[in-house]
Amino acid sequence: MLRPGPHVPAPRLAPHADTVGDLFRQRASRSRARPAVYEKVDGAWTPITWGAFYTSAAAVAFGLRETMGLAGGDRVAILGPTRGQWGTYDLGAQLAGLVSFGIYPKQPPEAVRYLLGHSEARVVFVAGNDELETVLAAAASAALPELRAIVPWTRSLFEAHRDADPRLRSPSDFADTRWADERIDASLAAIDPEQPAILVYTSGTTGPPKAAMITHRNILSFLRDTDVIDFYEDDVTLSFLPMAHVAERVLAFYGRLDNGTACAYATNTASVLRELGEVRPTIFGSVPRLYEKAYAQVQREVAQQPEWARRVFDEAAQVAQEMAAYRVRGKTPPRWLRLKWALADRAIFRRVRAAFGGRVRLSITGAAPIAADVLAFFWGAGLPIYEAYGMTEATVVTHANLPGGHTKLGTVGRALPGAETKVADDGEILVRGPYVFAGYFKDDAATAATVVDGWLHTGDIGAVDDDGFLRITDRKKHLIITAGGKNLAPANIEGAIKNRDPLVSHVHAHGDGRPYVSALVAPSPLETLDFGLARRLVDEEQVTRLTEELFADPTSRSAALNEAMARVVGHPEFLARVRQAVRDGNERLARVERVRRFRVLDRDFSQEHGELTPTMKLKRRAIESKYKATFDRIYDEEGFGAEP
């Protein structure tokens, strides 16, 4: 367990800063000897102080401005995993008055070439061998004339490839600590807070990614308005989500500059669950799928227990639902419920909390819907998860459920102090305020279509209740309009089914212009392999190898994995489980929303097949196009698909 400081309120610095670099400089000055970052070195969590962090970032700033000759506003790219070093390069660019942006790992050369070319990046910092080879392939042609330097994160990586491209530069060129405070002062003073601090490329679900320009003013306004959340000097987080995403970059990383919270960086995605127990964070953020998977895992383990143990769990789950109703409102439950909870805690709940380290007092999720019953279970178990809502074009978060009884499950919370919200006649959520971005880089037409009279058109459909809580239904462009004229939200349909069985990874609802709703159901890799192993459809060596592959890169779906899954999903018991999940999901839906026919795919959706974005969102248009013939057959051919 890491203990970076005393349990006293942490001072917030954003109200006193003008730029991101200025905020960083103030944090380093105030908290110089306190841990900023923990990274695992030879099995031990090793701290890096705010002072050391600042010194390294200032050296990067010197290299960018003095060695490379970059000017204020030039773009700098960072490609690599979520590590302290990623932040060093980012904040070095901020101290130098440059505009930084992240590139998701595991993308093909053509995608990286587009991002580097569109941004006119001058420098790209690259973490590992695979990423460097991707950048070298992307930069092999004359398509990137603005790119001056490709900088490996390590000296050994530079030496191994130094002759591959004349633009390769050693990381030692960015380790000079001679940039004096007065030079940094001058660099920061020259920054206009209304100018972009970062670019964040959208995930590109319907076309090439667009670069959202987020200004220093946007970021600092957001941080100032989140002072409704209390932080303490002994708070610690565990970070693993990609820094190229706006939530990890602004909410988590820049948020720590504001509140001084120390961060342990997970060794890799595969180690997150184990390292939660080592770090024991007090604050933890993740995408909904992690919590849903954890909930599904609990259910799967319970299903394998004797009947008496299943009854104990069912009773505990009911207690959790009852307790959650009090906790989300900040109310004290009656004594009889507290006694029942204490018994359930000894049997079930403390183990659930232990899976997340046992100390989490504040957990945040967003980016996709999460089932209210999943949230209620965790709340009742003593692990409060606060659902939030926002988008890249609004800096990060505009609405959030908050501690102190300001939470309503099934909603994304109330608007933050700086965000003004209204609902258009067609149900679209509009947002106005200091968080609204400066527009899309090199795309005035898209900017004009997105921000109209100061109002950001989010593209999300929702409603605000009488208490001011916002409920998101779906993306406007995703709505299904059936042949009967009914407007349906696919996210609602998909969520109702997806969380009913851990064998289900993704659901894609279809029905635009059709007489009823159908769906594609994609199997979940790990659970499918376990199912197959138990029935000898795959062997133990395969499962071990493919599981290691998945843990090393959870977003990858290799040909070997797809082949193994295909041997499992046709099993009658597998299909029966999926059919039951669809039936159970349908019970939670209105009659017109219910899935009448579905098809189980023999693999999961994947980035490799162009069906998922780097943030694992469904590329709906691509799926509709790729599986058009399948959908046509579902409706045209008797017996094709499956009746739930």
Side-chain angles (χ1 to χ4, degrees):
M1 182 172 67
L2 311 181
R3 293 187 181 276
H7 187 68
V8 297
R12 308 290 289 272
L13 301 183
H16 313 291
D18 295 319
T19 65
V20 173
D22 182 28
L23 178 63
F24 178 41
R25 180 176 58 173
Q26 291 189 42
R27 173 53 60 194
S29 175
R30 185 179 185 103
S31 307
R32 183 167 296 276
R34 285 180 47 213
V37 169
Y38 287 91
E39 291 194 311
K40 215 171 189 180
V41 180
D42 297 329
W45 289 100
T46 304
I48 299 171
T49 66
W50 283 104
F53 194 14
Y54 181 82
T55 298
S56 297
V60 171
F62 178 90
L64 291 168
R65 292 298 292 261
E66 304 296 333
T67 305
M68 298 306 306
L70 270 61
D74 282 346
R75 270 74 64 195
V76 173
I78 309 165
L79 171 56
T82 301
R83 295 281 191 281
Q85 200 166 354
W86 205 110
T88 299
Y89 293 127
D90 179 32
L91 292 175
Q94 294 301 319
L95 291 175
L98 308 175
V99 178
S100 51
F101 71 95
I103 300 175
Y104 288 100
K106 309 296 183 183
Q107 294 199 79
E110 55 271 21
V112 173
R113 181 182 298 119
Y114 174 81
L115 297 176
L116 293 175
H118 180 267
S119 66
E120 300 177 18
R122 301 286 187 159
V123 176
V124 56
F125 293 98
V126 187
N129 188 74
D130 290 346
E131 290 94 345
L132 181 55
E133 289 185 353
T134 297
V135 170
L136 291 173
S141 69
L144 301 175
E146 303 294 334
L147 187 63
R148 295 183 185 177
I150 302 169
V151 187
W153 286 17
T154 63
R155 178 77 188 206
S156 60
L157 186 60
F158 166 73
E159 294 293 348
H161 293 271
R162 64 183 306 161
D163 297 326
D165 191 295
R167 290 167 288 190
L168 276 163
R169 299 295 296 261
S170 171
S172 61
D173 292 340
F174 301 85
D176 194 317
T177 59
R178 288 181 295 166
W179 227 33
D181 287 344
E182 58 268 21
R183 299 294 301 275
I184 295 177
D185 290 343
S187 173
L188 295 177
I191 300 172
D192 180 354
E194 301 293 347
Q195 293 302 306
I198 62 175
L199 299 180
V200 179
Y201 278 88
T202 62
S203 55
T205 58
T206 57
K210 297 188 289 291
M213 298 184 290
I214 300 178
T215 70
H216 296 273
R217 183 80 72 205
N218 290 150
I219 294 167
L220 291 170
S221 295
F222 166 73
L223 294 177
R224 290 163 187 156
D225 284 344
T226 55
D227 63 1
V228 291
I229 300 175
D230 294 327
F231 293 92
Y232 299 90
E233 292 200 354
D234 61 345
D235 275 330
V236 62
T237 69
L238 180 70
S239 182
F240 68 98
L241 296 175
M243 289 284 279
H245 193 278
V246 71
E248 187 64 29
R249 184 77 167 285
V250 176
L251 178 62
F253 183 50
Y254 293 158
R256 291 192 292 272
L257 302 183
D258 177 31
N259 58 52
T261 299
C263 173
Y265 284 102
T267 305
N268 51 52
T269 307
S271 68
V272 169
L273 292 179
R274 181 182 72 255
E275 291 178 348
L276 275 167
E278 297 173 2
V279 174
R280 299 193 65 204
T282 58
I283 298 170
F284 183 67
S286 185
V287 293
R289 198 60 178 146
L290 183 142
Y291 301 108
E292 292 168 347
K293 284 288 189 181
Y295 181 69
Q297 178 66 23
V298 170
Q299 290 183 308
R300 182 173 65 170
E301 292 176 359
V302 169
Q304 297 170 355
Q305 299 300 313
E307 183 179 352
W308 68 266
R310 295 198 300 270
R311 287 200 303 269
V312 169
F313 176 80
D314 289 342
E315 292 172 2
Q318 181 59 41
V319 170
Q321 297 287 327
E322 294 172 358
M323 182 65 81
Y326 287 92
R327 285 181 167 164
V328 296
R329 293 179 292 144
K331 303 294 185 182
T332 301
R335 185 172 182 273
W336 64 265
L337 183 55
R338 297 199 303 273
L339 292 173
K340 289 177 67 175
W341 186 89
L343 293 173
D345 185 57
R346 293 182 63 184
I348 305 292
F349 299 152
R350 63 181 179 179
R351 299 177 188 178
V352 173
R353 295 194 303 277
F356 291 86
R359 293 201 308 160
V360 174
R361 65 174 181 82
L362 178 68
S363 191
I364 302 168
T365 192
I370 183 169
D373 56 347
V374 174
L375 285 174
F377 175 80
F378 283 115
W379 268 88
L383 184 69
I385 300 172
Y386 296 92
E387 197 171 3
Y389 165 77
M391 59 189 303
T392 300
E393 291 83 350
T395 301
V396 59
V397 170
T398 58
H399 296 70
N401 287 288
L402 297 170
H406 305 291
T407 293
K408 184 178 289 189
L409 300 187
T411 78
V412 294
R414 295 187 178 106
L416 293 178
E420 185 180 354
T421 307
K422 71 177 181 179
V423 181
D425 291 341
D426 62 358
E428 184 178 8
I429 302 299
L430 310 183
V431 175
R432 184 168 65 181
Y435 315 154
V436 174
F437 74 144
Y440 295 113
F441 185 55
K442 296 182 179 178
D443 200 336
D444 292 341
T447 300
T450 303
V451 182
V452 181
D453 296 330
W455 288 96
L456 173 65
H457 288 239
T458 66
D460 289 314
I461 299 295
V464 179
D465 68 18
D466 293 340
D467 296 322
F469 287 88
L470 174 63
R471 191 182 302 273
I472 299 295
T473 306
D474 209 329
R475 293 290 291 169
K476 182 177 178 180
K477 61 188 176 184
H478 294 166
L479 290 180
I480 292 171
I481 304 177
T482 67
K486 297 291 186 180
N487 284 26
L488 308 178
N492 190 47
I493 299 168
E494 293 158 2
I497 296 170
K498 186 174 65 174
N499 298 316
R500 302 279 69 82
D501 194 299
L503 289 179
V504 178
S505 177
H506 291 96
V507 178
H508 176 88
H510 169 85
D512 210 41
R514 305 286 196 175
Y516 56 83
V517 176
S518 65
L520 299 177
V521 178
S524 187
L526 286 175
E527 288 76 5
T528 298
L529 291 174
D530 287 346
F531 181 96
L533 180 62
R535 291 157 183 80
R536 299 182 181 180
L537 301 172
V538 289
D539 61 51
E540 191 166 349
E541 185 278 330
Q542 276 183 302
V543 172
T544 300
R545 174 169 45 82
L546 293 172
T547 299
E548 290 176 353
E549 173 188 293
L550 277 165
F551 276 128
D553 183 7
T555 66
S556 178
R557 302 289 183 266
S558 69
L561 173 64
N562 293 339
E563 181 181 342
M565 292 177 68
R567 292 200 295 272
V568 177
V569 297
H571 191 280
E573 290 181 34
F574 191 100
L575 294 175
R577 286 264 301 269
V578 175
R579 184 178 293 108
Q580 189 60 50
V582 176
R583 286 173 176 162
D584 292 344
N586 278 343
E587 290 180 0
R588 292 163 168 79
L589 298 170
R591 180 175 296 275
V592 72
E593 295 178 301
R594 293 175 182 171
V595 173
R596 288 179 53 182
R597 308 193 77 192
F598 65 93
R599 177 76 187 275
V600 181
L601 302 179
D602 59 8
R603 61 170 177 82
D604 195 7
F605 291 129
S606 71
Q607 292 184 68
E608 290 85 349
H609 288 82
E611 298 150 341
L612 296 177
T613 71
T615 54
M616 304 299 284
K617 294 178 182 177
L618 294 179
K619 288 189 172 182
R620 307 193 72 90
R621 186 179 297 175
I623 292 171
E624 289 285 331
S625 175
K626 176 176 289 190
Y627 292 96
K628 181 180 184 302
T630 299
F631 287 124
D632 288 344
R633 291 180 66 193
I634 284 177
Y635 293 94
D636 293 344
E637 297 183 19
E638 188 69 28
F640 187 80
E643 294 284 352

